[in-house]
Amino acid sequence: MALTEQQLNEIGERLVEKFKSIYDPEIPVDIYELGLIYDAFANANGKVKVLMTLTSPNCPVAESLPNEVKEKVEQIEGVEEAEIELTFDPPWDRDMMSEEAKFELGML
């Protein structure tokens, strides 16, 4: 059964909530505010694709963080499957952080 436009919008809202519940263990800010989530797509079949990065290619959580994102996304009602794609293009830098994250880290 295909998801309705309203259900897709709700999934989008839940995605942001889930992203905001996942923290980079080295920086006390969630991955959404850090700017690690580049994009997220949900289709009518309940498949979600998340395009994300890490603070560096050598990040110690390179294995575990994408898995945590996948697990949390798949907990959302209506999501059948999540695919997480890591990219380092463009590479993450501090300018990708939200004002809230910069304030939290004393960078403003």
Side-chain angles (χ1 to χ4, degrees):
M1 177 203 268
L3 297 171
T4 66
E5 192 67 34
Q6 180 179 349
Q7 289 170 313
L8 288 171
N9 288 336
E10 288 171 5
I11 287 173
E13 292 171 13
R14 300 292 95 71
L15 283 168
V16 173
E17 289 173 8
K18 291 293 184 182
F19 298 149
K20 287 184 167 213
S21 74
I22 302 169
Y23 286 78
D24 184 304
E26 298 178 314
I27 306 170
V29 176
D30 68 75
I31 63 171
Y32 186 80
E33 297 298 338
L34 272 177
L36 298 182
I37 303 297
Y38 287 171
D39 216 337
F41 310 91
N43 70 21
N45 296 324
K47 294 188 180 182
V48 173
K49 181 172 183 179
V50 178
L51 181 63
M52 66 176 289
T53 194
L54 301 171
T55 53
S56 79
N58 301 324
C59 183
V61 294
E63 295 281 328
S64 62
L65 193 59
N67 287 333
E68 183 178 358
V69 172
K70 178 177 173 56
E71 289 172 12
K72 293 226 176 172
V73 168
E74 288 179 342
Q75 293 172 355
I76 298 171
E77 185 177 337
V79 173
E80 297 296 322
E81 180 184 346
E83 176 188 346
I84 311 303
E85 181 180 336
L86 272 181
T87 185
F88 294 99
D89 185 28
W92 180 87
D93 67 38
R94 292 178 177 191
D95 291 336
M96 294 175 169
M97 293 191 304
S98 69
E99 295 296 314
E100 181 180 319
K102 290 176 184 174
F103 178 77
E104 191 75 27
L105 296 172
M107 298 172 77
L108 286 180

